[in-house]
Amino acid sequence: MEEKVKLQIRNMKKHYKNGDGVENINMDVREGEFLTMLGPSGCGKSTILRTIGGFLDIDDGDILIDGCSVKDLAPENRPTAMVFQSYNLWPHMTVYENLAFGLKIKKYSKEEISRSVKRGLELVNMQGFEKKYPGQLSGGQQQRVSIARALAGDPSLILADEPTGALDSRTSREVLNFLKELNEEGNTIVMITHDNSIALEAKHVVRVHDGKINFDGDVKDYAAIIQAGNEKHLEQ
Ligand code: ADP
Ligand code: MG
């Protein structure tokens, strides 16, 4: 079976005004893949993810999702959804309102919103929490709600920026297993982590260093580099 390419990044460059940023970014993600993006703090991982999500305009090159350039897609038509380390739930809105907000932007009808919110919360096992505020939930529950919010709009590409970074190891495991289940159901996932052991659970690993990609390949090849104690070679 020929696998479809979901995401293509071609010679992408994004520099902030101060000169920091990423360049020469080339990357292919096939439909149904689970890719982890690794690299030291400040290397440019979040910058790359935000450009894929269309939150940051790029300076050069192109980013294609299902063959469409992200810059040509209006926010309400983007097939992506983001999950953040800090959950980014709106504290003054209930769980229901947090999920409904993005769907209103996507111009869902009231009935569609109600159905999508219900399905999103079911997916993460958070039914019954609609009227709670984020401050009334544990970190793991808030992360599940933020994943439900990402899923409610039925995205075909999930972008997760260190989604387990703020969670204890048991809750991290739960969230990770949950993302793996979503991937097994066919969702394509690009997840940032700075934890090698988490990266080793994916099939495809991309490593970023100093604003450039310095490894892109199969997890087995990445594991071999780490096992040989040669990870430092990737820093050069
Ligand atoms: P990572 O997610 O790998 O930690 P980032 O993509 O957040 O890295 O940052 C890459 C580089 O760009 C860093 O040097 C960071 O300080 C800089 N940077 C990130 N966001 C901004 C911004 N909004 N304005 C200016 N510089 C930024
Ligand atoms: Mg980051």
Side-chain angles (χ1 to χ4, degrees):
M1 191 181 75
E2 200 188 328
E3 286 175 323
K4 236 177 85 188
V5 180
K6 184 78 197 166
L7 167 70
Q8 292 167 285
I9 307 185
R10 292 283 170 265
N11 299 318
M12 191 273 279
K13 177 179 155 187
K14 169 67 196 176
H15 278 180
Y16 298 101
K17 284 204 183 74
N18 61 6
D20 285 340
V22 298
E23 60 189 27
N24 294 330
I25 303 299
N26 285 284
M27 182 168 127
D28 274 7
V29 183
R30 303 198 158 273
E31 196 160 80
E33 264 193 316
F34 196 138
L35 178 143
T36 48
M37 205 190 288
L38 264 168
S41 177
C43 69
K45 305 178 296 296
S46 295
T47 301
I48 297 173
L49 211 69
R50 287 200 292 256
T51 62
I52 301 170
F55 295 100
L56 273 181
D57 291 336
I58 60 178
D59 300 331
D60 210 352
D62 209 355
I63 299 178
L64 305 167
I65 302 176
D66 298 323
C68 281
S69 192
V70 170
K71 62 179 180 299
D72 296 334
L73 289 168
E76 65 270 24
N77 294 329
R78 289 186 195 132
T80 44
M82 280 197 80
V83 178
F84 303 89
Q85 174 177 354
S86 49
Y87 328 130
N88 285 17
L89 298 173
W90 291 288
H92 59 288
M93 290 187 195
T94 64
V95 166
Y96 187 94
E97 290 161 348
N98 264 282
L99 266 70
F101 189 80
L103 303 176
K104 279 184 200 152
I105 293 174
K106 283 183 177 262
K107 302 194 169 68
Y108 279 39
S109 71
K110 238 182 163 171
E111 292 72 32
E112 283 170 327
I113 290 175
S114 162
R115 221 177 308 127
S116 299
V117 170
K118 187 166 181 283
R119 193 184 53 104
L121 291 176
E122 273 168 12
L123 281 167
V124 299
N125 256 322
M126 287 291 287
Q127 309 95 303
F129 287 81
E130 286 84 347
K131 292 195 174 119
K132 298 265 188 222
Y133 286 86
Q136 295 174 295
L137 306 177
S138 71
Q141 287 174 328
Q142 288 187 61
Q143 191 55 300
R144 271 151 63 194
V145 170
S146 93
I147 293 172
R149 179 176 61 178
L151 294 174
D154 211 11
S156 56
L157 176 58
I158 297 167
L159 308 170
D161 194 345
E162 307 211 30
T164 61
L167 303 172
D168 62 64
S169 59
R170 191 178 59 87
T171 318
S172 291
R173 186 73 259 161
E174 266 172 39
V175 168
L176 205 58
N177 285 346
F178 182 68
L179 288 169
K180 280 179 140 181
E181 268 172 44
L182 287 175
N183 174 246
E184 276 153 25
E185 287 162 15
N187 292 288
T188 311
I189 301 182
V190 176
M191 181 179 80
I192 293 176
T193 175
H194 58 246
D195 184 336
N196 269 333
S197 66
I198 291 179
L200 291 176
E201 296 192 39
K203 299 176 195 92
H204 184 173
V205 176
V206 164
R207 197 169 187 286
V208 185
H209 186 72
D210 273 351
K212 299 194 178 83
I213 290 176
N214 69 356
F215 177 89
D216 180 348
D218 194 272
V219 67
K220 292 197 192 88
D221 298 327
Y222 185 71
I225 291 174
I226 297 179
Q227 261 162 20
N230 286 338
E231 201 193 355
K232 278 274 171 276
H233 292 177
L234 293 171
E235 317 271 293
Q236 283 151 21

